[in-house]
Amino acid sequence: MASDTAQSFDSNNFDPFEQNIIMHEADGTPFLVSVNSVDAWLQYCIRICINYGCQMGASAVLLIVLILLTRAEKRSSTAFWLNSLALVSNVARLLCQLIYFTGPLVRLYPIFAGDYSRVPRSAYADSIVGAAFSFLAVVFMEVSLVLQVQVVCVTLRNWYRQVLLAVSVLVAMIPIGFRFALLVINSMSIMDLEVISSTWLENATNVVVTVSICFFCTIFVVKLGFVIKLRKKLGVREYGPMNVIFVMGCQTMIIPALFSILQYFVHVPELYSNVLTLVIISLPLSSIWASSTVEQKSRVTSRTSDSHRHLMNLNSYNPMRTKNLSTSFSTDTTTKNSMAANATCYAALSSTRQVDPELSKYGISVEHDYSVQSHQKDGGEV
């Protein structure tokens, strides 16, 4: 009997890699599951878990770095809290996704038989919580982008800035509204164990998120172009905090925009999840870079101030001349001549900021860090 079966297999060109597996439902009814379907499902679960794990690790590490590198006085700012909450929401979202793929909902028999009678309620709660954290991640991401645009465009005129704020808020609220509607429908589908029927809503949500990312990307790129052009005319090469935000805004938004557009042309189920993570991870990097630039500039300014102060003390103090100091002057003319003969000019850091009226109308503020002062050598007043 075994030899006859083997001969029939050979005669029919039997391929063991494409055979069917016979499974039975709870009432004993048999059904077939192909090996290719099982392999495809297992490969999908492995790939997406690796992807989610990498995203969660990167978000957690950046959250720790953001907390450690942010100065204490900056931890109460709105940008810090938005970036931190976005990272926390993203970590929680990815953790719930990993729990889903390693939980009782993703098992061989429930998936192919559609029998979820032994799945506990905690598994459903985990899926709903994951959907809620996905919505919160989108909210914090959009609000942070609006705030970032206002910071970048702070040099624009007040009317232009208000119009840009209104348009930015509108562009950010549309994805938030679509994502909230998708959250409600998705939660209802999870509780009813049904495949989401409103596929148009899911596609529309992806489209509006893509449009939102491309919109903010365009603002960053256009603003960056104007800044580079003006800096080239002025001959400025050093990057300040605002320029750091321009460059990082351009870099952080171009890559997510490409990923969000690429998902419509390449069929990779794990690709869309990377879009939110890329934006959420990239936004705090600009703040960290700008903060480090400010600290570096303050250290350089402090060292320069100490050098000038040391030079001033060397030029103004001479112990050999203190014995010949005059205690009074007879006339104003004698006083002026004496001060002019015993005065030393030196450069010192200025605490005031002077703005060129010709450049202020273009949104440019030039800070003069040095001023020339005179100091009397022989112990007189400055």
Side-chain angles (χ1 to χ4, degrees):
M1 182 66 66
S3 61
D4 295 339
T5 305
Q7 291 178 0
S8 64
F9 285 161
D10 293 337
S11 62
N12 295 328
N13 295 325
F14 174 71
D15 188 357
F17 292 95
E18 296 182 359
Q19 63 179 320
N20 295 323
I21 301 174
I22 301 177
M23 303 182 69
H24 296 81
E25 297 181 359
D27 57 357
T29 305
F31 63 95
L32 299 177
V33 178
S34 65
V35 175
N36 290 332
S37 299
V38 176
D39 288 339
W41 176 252
L42 291 178
Q43 289 297 319
Y44 169 74
C45 293
I46 293 172
R47 292 199 312 268
I48 203 166
C49 285
I50 293 174
N51 191 7
Y52 286 156
C54 294
Q55 293 181 52
M56 187 179 69
S59 301
V61 169
L62 187 60
L63 178 61
I64 297 174
V65 171
L66 179 63
I67 295 175
L68 294 179
L69 296 184
T70 303
R71 292 177 294 179
E73 61 271 16
K74 295 294 184 180
R75 292 178 182 174
S76 59
S77 62
T78 305
F80 173 77
W81 282 105
L82 284 175
N83 294 331
S84 300
L85 291 174
L87 288 171
V88 170
S89 301
N90 195 51
V91 170
R93 173 182 72 90
L94 296 169
L95 180 61
C96 292
Q97 294 288 348
L98 290 174
I99 293 175
Y100 166 77
F101 279 96
T102 57
L105 280 172
V106 183
R107 292 290 186 268
L108 188 61
Y109 177 76
I111 288 296
F112 290 98
D115 185 2
Y116 298 94
S117 58
R118 296 187 182 181
V119 176
R121 284 293 179 181
S122 59
Y124 301 105
D126 170 74
S127 299
I128 295 176
V129 171
F133 276 115
S134 298
F135 168 72
L136 292 177
V138 172
V139 171
F140 293 131
M141 180 193 72
E142 295 291 343
V143 176
S144 182
L145 285 174
V146 172
L147 180 62
Q148 193 92 327
V149 167
Q150 288 301 302
V151 173
V152 168
C153 300
V154 70
T155 56
L156 295 179
R157 296 180 180 179
N158 189 25
W159 186 82
Y160 292 145
R161 192 167 63 252
Q162 290 179 357
V163 173
L164 183 60
L165 175 61
V167 176
S168 301
V169 171
L170 179 62
V171 173
M173 289 299 296
I174 293 176
I176 292 175
F178 274 87
R179 192 72 194 186
F180 181 75
L182 183 62
L183 168 63
V184 175
I185 296 178
N186 196 16
S187 300
M188 296 172 60
S189 300
I190 291 173
M191 294 305 299
D192 296 336
L193 291 177
E194 296 178 355
V195 180
I196 183 171
S197 58
S198 300
T199 55
W200 69 269
L201 181 60
E202 186 175 3
N203 295 331
T205 303
N206 296 337
V207 170
V208 294
V209 171
T210 301
V211 171
S212 173
I213 293 175
C214 294
F215 170 78
F216 290 110
C217 176
T218 303
I219 293 177
F220 286 126
V221 171
V222 172
K223 185 62 179 179
L224 178 62
F226 280 108
V227 170
I228 292 176
K229 184 178 179 180
L230 290 176
R231 288 173 65 87
K232 185 177 180 180
K233 289 183 178 180
L234 295 174
V236 181
R237 296 183 178 180
E238 183 182 358
Y239 279 91
M242 293 298 297
N243 308 109
V244 168
I245 294 177
F246 297 154
V247 176
M248 286 301 296
C250 176
Q251 292 177 351
T252 57
M253 297 308 299
I254 286 180
I255 297 177
L258 292 177
F259 269 81
S260 60
I261 296 174
L262 190 63
Q263 64 177 333
Y264 298 103
F265 301 96
V266 180
H267 182 66
V268 180
E270 310 89 21
L271 192 60
Y272 175 73
S273 177
N274 295 325
V275 176
L276 293 179
T277 302
L278 284 173
V279 178
I280 292 174
I281 284 179
S282 301
L283 284 175
L285 291 178
S286 60
S287 300
I288 295 174
W289 187 11
S291 178
S292 64
T293 305
V294 171
E295 292 178 359
Q296 182 180 3
K297 185 177 179 180
S298 63
R299 287 195 298 267
V300 173
T301 304
S302 178
R303 288 197 298 267
T304 306
S305 178
D306 293 339
S307 300
H308 284 292
R309 191 179 297 109
H310 181 64
L311 178 62
M312 179 191 69
N313 291 334
L314 289 178
N315 290 332
S316 62
Y317 177 70
N318 191 345
M320 298 298 298
R321 296 184 181 181
T322 55
K323 298 179 181 180
N324 299 324
L325 291 176
S326 177
T327 58
S328 63
F329 298 93
S330 58
T331 62
D332 294 339
T333 305
T334 305
T335 302
K336 294 179 181 179
N337 294 334
S338 177
M339 291 182 65
N342 297 319
T344 300
C345 293
Y346 64 93
L349 290 175
S350 176
S351 60
T352 61
R353 176 177 295 179
Q354 302 177 10
V355 179
D356 193 340
E358 293 295 330
L359 296 177
S360 62
K361 61 182 180 180
Y362 297 106
I364 304 173
S365 176
V366 180
E367 181 179 357
H368 300 283
D369 294 332
Y370 298 93
S371 61
V372 179
Q373 302 178 9
S374 62
H375 184 80
Q376 187 175 350
K377 285 184 176 181
D378 297 333
E381 296 181 355
V382 178

